[in-house]
Amino acid sequence: MNTPILLITAILLPLAGAVVLLLVGSRDRRVVRPIALIVTLTTLVAAGVLVANFPADGHLAEPFAASETSWLGAMSGMDVRFSVALDGLSLWLFALSALLMVSAVLVSWEAIHDRAASFYGMLLLLECGCLGVFAARDIILFYVFFEFTLIPLFFLIGIWGSEQRRYAAIKFFLFTLAGSVLTFLGLLAIVIWVFHATGQLTFAFESIEQGLAEHPLPSVWQLWIFLALFAGFAIKVPLFPLHTWLPLAHVQAPTAGSVILAGILLKIGTYGFVRFNLPMLPDATAVCAPWMMWLSVAGIIYGALVALAQSDIKRLIAYSSVSHLGFCMLGLFALNQLGLQGSVLQMINHGISTGGLFAIVGMMYERYHTRQINELGGIARRTPVLAMFMLVFTLSSIGLPGMNGFAGEFLILAGAFQRGWATAPEPLAGQLQIISVLAVAGVVLGAWYMLWLVQRVFFGPLSEPTHDADAPPIRDLSFREVAALAPLVVFIFWIGLQPGFFVDRIGPTLAPIATRLETQLQLKHGVPERVAVETKYPMTTYSLTNNK
């Protein structure tokens, strides 16, 4: 199997499909919809083949499916390459992008009437950007894809969104663009340092990491660069208190835009932290870890409390994303194997469950033309299949054992408690213990607002908005809508019942990062409070993977 060619094909196929749609420009959506669906299905098959060929134990002698070609040649004086590959960190995010895009096309099937060719063209351009950003192995290429994702979503929100779509699109664009410019400056600072130290002007991830290992950045430089990268990635997550653009963008975006925004684009922020901040700036990461954990737990609790107060279903789920992504960030900055594995797994889990929830909200809006909780009640009597899917995604979101959310949250909380109660540097022990306990409150609050939403909207006395006399009767989900949701349900139970299959492929990529950060944390903050416990029970190496 020629996996490098397959990887490039998977990335560029949506771009080719978008060009075809935009050139054809047919006003008949019956022509453009099948083209978009065929392209996304073909891309999904390619991503599935790549996953199937990825080493089951996650150990790679070299990046998987690696392919590179010179982009700016030797005459430019810069070694900029079109370099793509997959590893344990990017594999499942790449596959998730391909999966959710199929669902996004299907949920938009009957919702988009105006300029359908442009709409699906933008969706495919967005898919190309998402796949590229996770596969890129060159800083310039990463940044090109990183910025490229902004443009299609800007138009998707601004043209096909709701009443305040233009304001929401502009706010989204300005927030993310401002942060990403600072991020680019931070990345350039790393490149310049490596060039100064080695004489090689390279943008390749591996070369930069090797250069930094041999010639580490001074701690003060690391801190400033960490803050620059933080500006772009934290806005993208979004991490409290930089989240204010997200609820409006979700509420105003079309259903497909919300699915992709929640399911994929927010993960680019957390992915950036793991790909750049943690391995390249270990000193600054160790210094900032307690602050990042406090921001994470603040986001967990704040997002949950604000979600409880919402009257709009879509806005409630948007604030739930702030809370859930707080868990992902908490796991990252626990700086141990458990937390890192749980965080990456939870990125996938959140994409599946919250992407499905936004899809269901869109299906409800097509039927009732409202998202107000107080205008709906007992609709499970009318739409039992829709109610069944809503309940599955809700239970996944709140982390019911046997479903995907439980595996991710369990690892994250185990990592946070391990850091706070077993391996905390003595000066940090008290506050890390408080953080770990407060994080549990997010689990309780999450169950509260999600189950309360389901109870009010789907159960109890039947309550529906007034329909026009000529309006079609309310119908349950169609085969197309079930097809959009069913694959997500399969992964909810697959990850929940067999998390080791996924963690096995993630773990080996994250293990060296966790080991180095553990060392840096102790150097910066002192000796662990309970060295004896860690020595006797080395929890930092424990995971859901099979011990070999």
Side-chain angles (χ1 to χ4, degrees):
M1 176 64 65
N2 194 336
T3 52
I5 296 297
L6 191 61
L7 177 59
I8 293 176
T9 301
I11 296 170
L12 297 182
L13 183 60
L15 177 62
V19 171
V20 169
L21 288 178
L22 295 174
L23 288 178
V24 171
S26 174
R27 296 188 177 183
D28 189 350
R29 60 181 184 154
R30 292 175 296 180
V31 175
V32 300
R33 291 182 306 190
I35 295 175
L37 183 59
I38 290 170
V39 170
T40 53
L41 284 172
T42 306
T43 304
L44 177 60
V45 170
V49 173
L50 288 168
V51 170
N53 283 275
F54 194 86
D57 61 2
H59 290 283
L60 298 169
E62 57 184 18
F64 176 72
S67 176
E68 67 175 41
T69 183
S70 179
W71 195 0
L72 294 179
M75 295 298 293
S76 68
M78 293 189 293
D79 183 23
V80 180
R81 296 178 174 272
F82 186 90
S83 176
V84 293
L86 296 175
D87 59 11
L89 172 59
S90 58
L91 176 71
W92 294 116
L93 292 168
F94 187 89
L96 176 69
S97 302
L99 175 64
L100 285 181
M101 200 59 68
V102 176
S103 297
V105 170
L106 289 173
V107 299
S108 306
W109 204 261
E110 296 295 338
I112 302 302
H113 301 273
D114 183 37
R115 290 179 279 188
S118 298
F119 176 85
Y120 288 107
M122 290 298 166
L123 269 186
L124 293 180
L125 287 176
L126 187 56
E127 180 175 23
C128 175
C130 292
L131 295 172
V133 80
F134 294 126
R137 305 293 293 182
D138 181 279
I139 282 180
I140 297 297
L141 184 63
F142 169 83
Y143 189 75
V144 167
F145 281 122
F146 184 82
E147 291 292 87
F148 185 69
T149 58
L150 303 183
I151 301 170
L153 188 60
F154 172 79
F155 286 112
L156 287 171
I157 297 173
I159 297 175
W160 292 278
S162 301
E163 295 81 4
Q164 293 181 285
R165 57 186 179 273
R166 294 182 180 176
Y167 173 65
I170 292 172
K171 187 174 183 179
F172 155 75
F173 191 83
L174 291 179
F175 258 77
T176 50
L177 180 63
S180 63
V181 169
L182 291 174
T183 295
F184 185 56
L185 293 176
L187 293 173
L188 284 182
I190 294 174
V191 171
I192 292 170
W193 172 263
V194 172
F195 172 65
H196 173 74
T198 66
Q200 181 184 14
L201 186 56
T202 179
F203 295 86
F205 292 176
E206 291 81 4
S207 299
I208 290 175
E209 289 178 6
Q210 182 179 355
L212 290 173
E214 297 172 355
H215 308 279
L217 279 157
S219 296
V220 175
W221 277 48
Q222 286 197 35
L223 186 59
W224 283 108
I225 295 173
F226 184 97
L227 294 175
L229 300 185
F230 171 88
F233 296 147
I235 289 174
K236 200 79 169 180
V237 171
L239 182 65
F240 174 87
L242 303 174
H243 66 283
T244 56
W245 63 270
L246 180 67
L248 182 64
H250 267 312
V251 170
Q252 299 302 317
T255 300
S258 291
V259 170
I260 301 306
L261 176 59
I264 305 171
L265 292 180
L266 303 187
K267 311 308 177 298
I268 297 176
T270 49
Y271 173 83
F273 278 109
V274 187
R275 180 64 75 192
F276 298 105
N277 292 59
L278 272 62
M280 296 185 183
L281 307 169
D283 288 359
T285 298
V287 170
C288 295
W291 298 94
M292 297 297 293
M293 293 180 76
W294 275 115
L295 288 176
S296 300
V297 80
I300 291 171
I301 296 175
Y302 170 84
L305 291 175
V306 177
L308 274 170
Q310 298 307 307
S311 58
D312 182 291
I313 302 175
K314 205 172 187 184
R315 187 175 289 271
L316 184 152
I317 298 172
Y319 276 106
S320 79
S321 290
V322 176
S323 183
H324 286 296
L325 268 298
F327 276 107
C328 292
M329 292 296 293
L330 180 68
L332 290 186
F333 285 93
L335 304 186
N336 52 32
Q337 182 83 339
L338 281 173
L340 284 172
Q341 289 183 352
S343 175
V344 175
L345 185 62
Q346 193 65 5
M347 294 180 205
I348 312 303
N349 296 338
H350 177 265
I352 293 171
S353 60
T354 306
L357 287 170
F358 276 117
I360 288 176
V361 173
M363 295 170 187
M364 292 170 58
Y365 187 80
E366 288 181 18
R367 287 160 171 78
Y368 291 106
H369 304 290
T370 183
R371 296 188 299 263
Q372 295 301 309
I373 297 174
N374 59 5
E375 295 180 7
L376 298 167
I379 64 173
R381 301 180 185 183
R382 296 272 196 191
T383 57
V385 177
L386 187 150
M388 181 270 293
F389 276 108
M390 180 66 180
L391 186 59
V392 169
F393 286 115
T394 296
L395 296 176
S396 165
S397 180
I398 66 177
L400 184 74
M403 294 186 172
N404 60 340
F406 175 78
E409 287 188 357
F410 173 77
L411 283 173
I412 289 170
L413 290 174
F417 271 85
Q418 175 195 340
R419 174 59 65 206
W421 296 84
T423 63
E426 188 169 358
L428 301 179
Q431 60 176 307
L432 295 183
Q433 290 167 6
I434 294 172
I435 288 171
S436 63
V437 172
L438 288 176
V440 178
V443 178
V444 177
L445 292 171
W448 182 2
Y449 63 72
M450 288 304 302
L451 293 176
W452 192 29
L453 168 67
V454 172
Q455 185 269 327
R456 287 179 289 172
V457 172
F458 288 90
F459 300 100
L462 181 64
S463 175
E464 298 175 310
T466 303
H467 294 283
D468 296 333
D470 57 347
I474 301 299
R475 299 184 183 276
D476 210 345
L477 297 187
S478 65
F479 174 80
R480 167 186 58 81
E481 292 170 317
V482 171
L485 299 174
L488 305 183
V489 172
V490 170
F491 278 93
I492 283 174
F493 286 102
W494 188 2
I495 297 173
L497 297 174
Q498 196 179 10
F501 179 86
F502 299 85
V503 177
D504 283 346
R505 290 155 176 79
I506 295 171
T509 299
L510 301 178
I513 300 175
T515 300
R516 184 177 183 189
L517 290 173
E518 181 70 37
T519 302
Q520 293 302 122
L521 187 68
Q522 306 308 336
L523 288 174
K524 291 295 179 182
H525 298 286
V527 183
E529 189 180 47
R530 296 172 176 82
V531 177
V533 174
E534 184 184 9
T535 303
K536 187 175 181 180
Y537 305 104
M539 294 176 66
T540 51
T541 61
Y542 175 78
S543 71
L544 290 180
T545 59
N546 296 322
N547 292 324
K548 296 179 175 66

